[in-house]
């Protein structure tokens, strides 16, 4: 059983009980996270595709830890101009363990039976010409 979830502009493949790495989430370790923007869901019996999202399914998870990626060096240079620029960047991330998926039961509303529509009587209009 797996799902494809849209989270902050990135699409993440999620499986139950799996540990995933997502972009940094500024919350405490141990707090709950829900993923509601489910694009695709497959539970071995049926496959559901959202348009654009599935409203009846969401996933919940628990934040395990936070971390930092390796430093990336950004070096800019323009030759023969004496211009050199060196910058670095460290991207933060969060590890989340997926607990279970939640299904919202779709409530079916019963509509009252409407009486059968009677055909309208066609009225014929007679054009009358007025003589002056």
């Amino acid at each position: 059983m797996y799902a494809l979830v849209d989270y902050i502009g990135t699409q993440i493949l999620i499986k139950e009980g799996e540990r995933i790495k997502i972009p940094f989430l500024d919350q405490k370790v141990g707090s709950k996270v829900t993923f509601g923007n489910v694009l695709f869901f497959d539970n071995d019996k049926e496959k559901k595709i959202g348009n654009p999202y599935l409203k009846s399914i969401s996933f919940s998870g628990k934040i395990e830890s936070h971390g930092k990626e390796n430093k990336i060096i950004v070096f800019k240079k323009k030759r023969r101009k004496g211009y050199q620029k060196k910058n670095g960047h460290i991207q933060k991330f969060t590890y989340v363990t997926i607990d279970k998926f939640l299904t919202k039961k779709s409530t079916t509303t019963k509509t009252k039976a409407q009486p059968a529509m009677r055909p309208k009587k066609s009225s014929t209009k007679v054009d009358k010409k007025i003589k002056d």
Side-chain angles (χ1 to χ4, degrees):
M1 176 178 352
Y2 64 93
L4 188 63
V5 176
D6 182 26
Y7 178 73
I8 310 178
T10 58
Q11 294 180 358
I12 303 170
L13 187 68
I14 290 180
K15 296 178 183 176
E16 259 187 37
E18 189 177 57
R19 182 179 174 196
I20 60 170
K21 182 165 55 168
I22 61 172
F24 183 70
L25 190 62
D26 193 18
Q27 292 183 3
K28 293 183 179 180
V29 175
S31 61
K32 297 252 180 185
V33 179
T34 58
F35 300 99
N37 296 338
V38 179
L39 298 167
F40 176 78
F41 180 71
D42 181 17
N43 64 351
D44 299 329
K45 295 177 184 176
E46 61 180 328
K47 297 179 182 182
K48 294 182 181 179
I49 299 173
N51 186 14
Y53 302 119
L54 293 171
K55 296 178 182 177
S56 61
I57 299 173
S58 64
F59 283 83
S60 66
K62 184 178 178 182
I63 294 179
E64 277 191 13
S65 64
H66 301 292
K68 294 181 180 180
E69 296 280 348
N70 293 333
K71 187 169 190 175
I72 297 173
I73 304 297
V74 179
F75 185 74
K76 298 178 183 179
K77 179 181 178 180
K78 294 189 180 179
R79 63 185 192 159
R80 297 189 301 269
K81 306 296 182 204
Y83 174 78
Q84 292 181 351
K85 186 81 170 178
K86 183 178 179 182
N87 284 329
H89 177 71
I90 299 176
Q91 184 72 36
K92 295 180 181 179
F93 63 85
T94 301
Y95 277 118
V96 176
T97 301
I98 304 301
D99 296 333
K100 58 185 174 182
F101 72 95
L102 308 169
T103 57
K104 298 175 189 172
K105 293 183 180 179
S106 60
T107 57
T108 57
T109 57
K110 294 183 179 180
T111 57
K112 294 181 180 179
Q114 295 179 354
M117 298 293 287
R118 294 182 188 166
K120 292 183 179 180
K121 294 181 180 178
S122 61
S123 62
T124 58
K125 293 183 179 179
V126 179
D127 292 335
K128 297 181 180 180
K129 292 184 180 180
I130 302 175
K131 295 182 181 178
D132 291 326

